[in-house]
Amino acid sequence: MTGLIDPGVRDLRAAAEFTRVARFYQRWHGPAFGGVSGATSPSASPDGLAIAFTGEIRTGLEGHPRFRLCLADGNGIRRLTDPESQVNERNPQYSPDGRRIAFTSDRETPGVQQLTVADPVSGRLRDTPAVDGTVEYLQWSPDGTRILLGVAGLAADLAGGEGSGSVVRGDRAELPAWVPEVDSGISGDHWRGIWIYDLARDSVERVPATGLNVWESVWCGPDAVLAVTSTSPGEGAWYTADLRRIDLAGEAAELVHEPDGQLGWPAASPSGRRRAVVEARSSDRWVVAGDVVVLDTQRGTTVKIETGDVDVTHLQWLDESRLAFLGVRGLETVAGVHDAGSGQTTETWSSTATCGDRYPVASFLPDGSAAMVHSSYSVCPELAWLREGQVETVAGLGHGGADHVREVAGAVEPVHWTAPDGTEIQGLLCTPDGEGPFPLVVNVHGGPVWGWRNHWMLGGAYVRLLVSRGYAVLHPNPRGSSGRGQEFAGAVFGDPGGADTQDYLSGIDALVARGVADPERIGVTGASYGGYMAAWLITQDQRFAAAVPMAPVTDWYSQHYTSNIPFFDELLLADGPHGTAGRYRERSPVTFAGRVRTPTLLIAGTQDRCTPPGQAWEFHQALLLAGVPSTCVVYPGEGHGVRSFPALIDQGARLLDWFERYLPVSPGIPTPAGPPAQQEAP
């Protein structure tokens, strides 16, 4: 057993485990420092020869990476803007004629994205008039004369998948330490709206949409936009959003679809005659996977189209009739095209590898080819074309550090098992080299409506850390996960911590029976809903030797009154917070803290509005009162999940040490009593 750290120590920088984890990340990222090591937001050039994208650049293990406008073509990867600049650039989009790339930049004010237009050949930049807020997304008009801008007020909420907190972090650094945080409800800076930039006039104008908060929008013909809207800008209002056509000339906002569930990824044909949107049971904004609803204004029809059992995560009209889509089916990523004229759907690609970030996305051309960021657990991200069902690599982002971490992080395989009620459950299993049984860590995904995919960053960076140290890591996709249809996704609503509890436990049983997992060395972790389940499972079953819930919910009642998404817990629990009984009490881990015997490390961030840090603290205090070893670690400045260095190093060191302390890789080594449980202050 390696030297153990005192879990109550606030500053670990002198600890051997901290140094080991820092070396791991340095070995991983160091060879790529200063270069492009990650990619998001691909945009296909109309001629099919180049891919514009947002490149991720690190210069050290400090803070967040920088994001820059980049281009991949037959000559490799190049940056299109000043490589020495410290700005962040996002959202690249080729113009329809391929002569320009629109993107956003925070060059004027850090964190505030504004529109810039670039010439991809000369590199010449064209600044545009500022909008009131920060630009979150953009889209060229079909004729290339205007650009639609989705703009958020500076106090608007980030979605949980984006880290929670405000769109632009506050100005605390400029204020004395004694100045309080103040909240008085909704203000003008919380709203999201639409602006239009006119290239010929070099002017921007806000689209009037009085009383509507616009979460997503796209062009719907030359004179309107199709938008997902609500009557309040609060993050919880997204769960009740509808679909509207907003006229650019006036304030008309025609309601075109009221969903059964949540909406995402609106798309409209060039003329606006046909519209489409994904309708799904969802737990997070920007994390929407479900059925495709197509509205034909000429025929006056609204239909859910056939997608071959795919939960769709991306939509794009290729022309007036053909609708391209991407999505998930089980553990596969799938692409297809639906012809709205004939009603026929054609699957064009399926793979156990994937593309995109949280969910599959790509940038399609009219011929059906698509630009994507392709990866798997064993394939470092690469810019690639999907053509005629084949992935053609344009430029890989691999380097010596990526090669090393791939070599030490074992292998991944798909697994499936049967829950006690006969439901088949799928998952992905990462195992180190050598023969089992291994100590097993169950890594529960967030949402709960989301799903693990065979992705380069499967399960988070700490998964490769665990596997490199000899742990097997199971990534289950229980009921509630995407990729199995809306009935499967909806099975968790009204029953969180119910039937899905058995999905996890039966998965452990299956791996023990296979000889993969040692039943005496089982741990559990996860973030968000995964953090909730990591806390819940140890109240329901005594087999767990250690638990690390991250950004958890532990008390649904206090969650309702401190979170920025109180509507969601009512939706998930199918109950209300009032009264002394019901699911708010029956499904809260803190209610059953007296049952727990599992040593627990809780991790949270001070800026998390989705699952506030008080949730971790509440369960920690309950465990201490029950005599259970518990440590609570709250990272300043972090939101819904730890995302910046060196906090990631500290988190990795604490997580590894906790599991090594209570389920060591080498069996038979007695677990030390360790120091008494400590409280870790922010």
Side-chain angles (χ1 to χ4, degrees):
M1 181 181 293
T2 59
L4 298 173
I5 63 176
D6 180 345
V9 171
R10 187 173 183 180
D11 186 354
L12 292 187
R13 287 175 294 175
E17 188 63 272
F18 187 95
T19 301
R20 291 182 70 188
V21 173
R23 287 174 178 167
F24 179 88
Y25 283 122
Q26 178 71 29
R27 183 69 179 86
W28 183 350
H29 297 294
F33 284 165
V36 179
S37 58
T40 61
S41 307
S43 177
S45 65
D47 60 10
L49 298 178
I51 303 172
F53 67 97
T54 300
E56 178 182 305
I57 300 168
R58 293 187 183 276
T59 56
L61 298 182
E62 192 71 34
H64 297 275
R66 292 284 178 181
F67 296 95
R68 306 306 301 275
L69 174 63
C70 299
L71 198 69
D73 55 23
N75 297 315
I77 291 175
R78 61 188 172 98
R79 302 180 211 175
L80 294 183
T81 54
D82 180 6
E84 302 303 318
S85 174
Q86 296 301 301
V87 304
N88 281 303
E89 299 162 341
R90 300 178 183 273
N91 308 306
Q93 289 284 320
Y94 265 101
S95 62
D97 62 8
R99 296 172 55 192
R100 303 176 181 88
I101 298 174
F103 68 101
T104 64
S105 169
D106 68 351
R107 183 164 58 253
E108 295 301 321
T109 304
V112 179
Q113 295 284 314
Q114 298 288 341
L115 174 67
T116 302
V117 181
D119 181 326
V121 177
S122 68
R124 189 175 298 112
L125 302 181
R126 175 179 180 176
D127 291 327
T128 65
V131 298
D132 185 12
T134 183
V135 181
E136 294 188 301
Y137 58 89
L138 59 87
Q139 185 191 34
W140 287 89
S141 62
D143 64 3
T145 63
R146 293 166 295 169
I147 302 173
L148 179 153
L149 305 174
V151 179
L154 302 187
D157 285 335
L158 285 169
E162 298 174 297
S164 190
S166 299
V167 167
V168 176
R169 299 294 186 186
D171 55 359
R172 298 293 302 179
E174 302 174 6
L175 298 175
W178 60 264
V179 174
E181 298 284 352
V182 177
D183 183 279
S184 57
I186 299 299
S187 71
D189 281 348
H190 287 87
W191 290 81
R192 286 176 162 86
I194 311 164
W195 295 65
I196 303 295
Y197 172 69
D198 187 299
L199 272 77
R201 298 177 180 177
D202 189 32
S203 64
V204 290
E205 185 175 352
R206 183 163 190 162
V207 176
T210 303
L212 292 178
N213 188 73
V214 179
W215 301 101
E216 296 178 70
S217 60
V218 294
W219 286 99
C220 187
D223 303 315
V225 297
L226 185 67
V228 176
T229 72
S230 65
T231 56
S232 168
E235 191 68 18
W238 174 79
Y239 296 94
T240 61
D242 53 29
L243 188 67
R244 294 178 182 265
R245 179 189 180 274
I246 301 175
D247 191 282
L248 299 186
E251 296 193 16
E254 175 193 2
L255 176 64
V256 297
H257 184 62
E258 289 186 275
D260 178 18
Q262 286 70 52
L263 296 176
W265 323 124
S269 65
S271 71
R273 170 192 164 185
R274 290 189 171 106
R275 302 116 185 223
V277 70
V278 175
E279 181 176 289
R281 301 296 294 271
S282 305
S283 43
D284 296 273
R285 186 164 60 89
W286 297 121
V287 188
V288 179
D291 299 330
V292 179
V293 177
V294 174
L295 304 96
D296 190 317
T297 59
Q298 198 169 76
R299 296 178 178 175
T301 57
T302 298
V303 297
K304 287 187 178 180
I305 66 172
E306 175 58 49
T307 59
D309 296 325
V310 175
D311 282 347
V312 172
T313 63
H314 178 81
L315 291 174
Q316 186 177 335
W317 288 94
L318 305 180
D319 52 34
E320 283 299 315
S321 297
R322 295 178 302 141
L323 177 65
F325 64 86
L326 272 167
V328 288
R329 181 177 59 209
L331 297 174
E332 292 182 304
T333 294
V334 181
V337 175
H338 173 76
D339 189 313
S342 67
Q344 298 298 307
T345 299
T346 303
E347 186 173 307
T348 59
W349 176 65
S350 66
S351 176
T352 55
T354 193
C355 60
D357 299 317
R358 288 185 293 272
Y359 270 143
V361 298
S363 174
F364 286 88
L365 293 176
D367 65 0
S369 61
M372 61 170 57
V373 181
H374 177 258
S375 79
S376 72
Y377 190 72
S378 60
V379 175
C380 190
E382 56 188 15
L383 281 303
W385 288 103
L386 176 62
R387 290 189 170 114
E388 298 182 349
Q390 301 296 317
V391 175
E392 302 174 5
T393 302
V394 176
L397 299 176
H399 50 84
D403 293 341
H404 169 73
V405 79
R406 179 170 49 211
E407 291 170 2
V408 302
V412 67
E413 64 172 297
V415 291
H416 59 88
W417 61 92
T418 303
D421 65 356
T423 302
E424 181 186 89
I425 306 299
Q426 302 173 342
L428 293 164
L429 175 67
C430 298
T431 52
D433 296 336
E435 298 294 326
F438 303 105
L440 175 72
V441 175
V442 180
N443 191 19
V444 183
H445 70 64
V449 187
W450 190 44
W452 296 123
R453 294 178 292 131
N454 185 7
H455 190 277
W456 176 249
M457 291 303 293
L458 170 63
Y462 58 84
V463 170
R464 293 185 185 270
L465 267 172
L466 285 165
V467 178
S468 72
R469 297 289 186 90
Y471 290 91
V473 183
L474 174 64
H475 300 84
N477 282 342
R479 66 197 76 200
S481 300
S482 53
R484 302 278 296 278
Q486 292 307 290
E487 183 178 353
F488 189 82
V492 74
F493 286 84
D495 191 35
D500 60 338
T501 296
Q502 299 306 315
D503 296 344
Y504 302 108
L505 298 180
S506 58
I508 297 169
D509 292 338
L511 294 184
V512 169
R514 278 183 49 186
V516 173
D518 181 346
E520 301 301 318
R521 294 181 292 159
I522 305 294
V524 62
T525 189
S528 193
Y529 187 82
Y532 162 70
M533 285 305 305
W536 175 257
L537 285 170
I538 61 176
T539 71
Q540 305 300 301
D541 196 285
Q542 299 295 326
R543 75 181 71 192
F544 297 98
V548 184
M550 297 182 282
V553 174
T554 67
D555 182 347
W556 287 111
Y557 182 84
S558 58
Q559 164 76 6
H560 183 81
Y561 290 108
T562 57
S563 169
N564 68 341
I565 49 172
F567 181 86
F568 176 66
D569 52 73
E570 293 191 66
L571 179 69
L572 179 64
L573 293 166
D575 201 355
H578 307 294
T580 58
R583 294 189 186 94
Y584 273 78
R585 178 174 174 81
E586 294 167 357
R587 299 300 170 90
S588 290
V590 73
T591 302
F592 307 103
R595 298 178 180 176
V596 178
R597 298 295 178 267
T598 303
T600 302
L601 169 66
L602 293 126
I603 295 174
T606 61
Q607 301 304 307
D608 192 344
R609 294 183 181 179
C610 290
T611 57
Q615 291 293 306
W617 197 261
E618 192 171 340
F619 196 53
H620 168 62
Q621 297 283 51
L623 293 181
L624 292 180
L625 290 172
V628 178
S630 177
T631 297
C632 186
V633 180
V634 181
Y635 290 96
E638 296 291 341
H640 197 56
V642 176
R643 297 167 185 257
S644 67
F645 286 108
L648 280 167
I649 299 172
D650 187 273
Q651 178 197 42
R654 292 179 190 275
L655 179 143
L656 280 168
D657 178 79
W658 198 262
F659 285 132
E660 180 65 16
R661 179 181 297 273
Y662 295 107
L663 49 141
V665 170
S666 300
I669 297 178
T671 300
Q678 300 287 327
Q679 298 182 13
E680 182 73 10

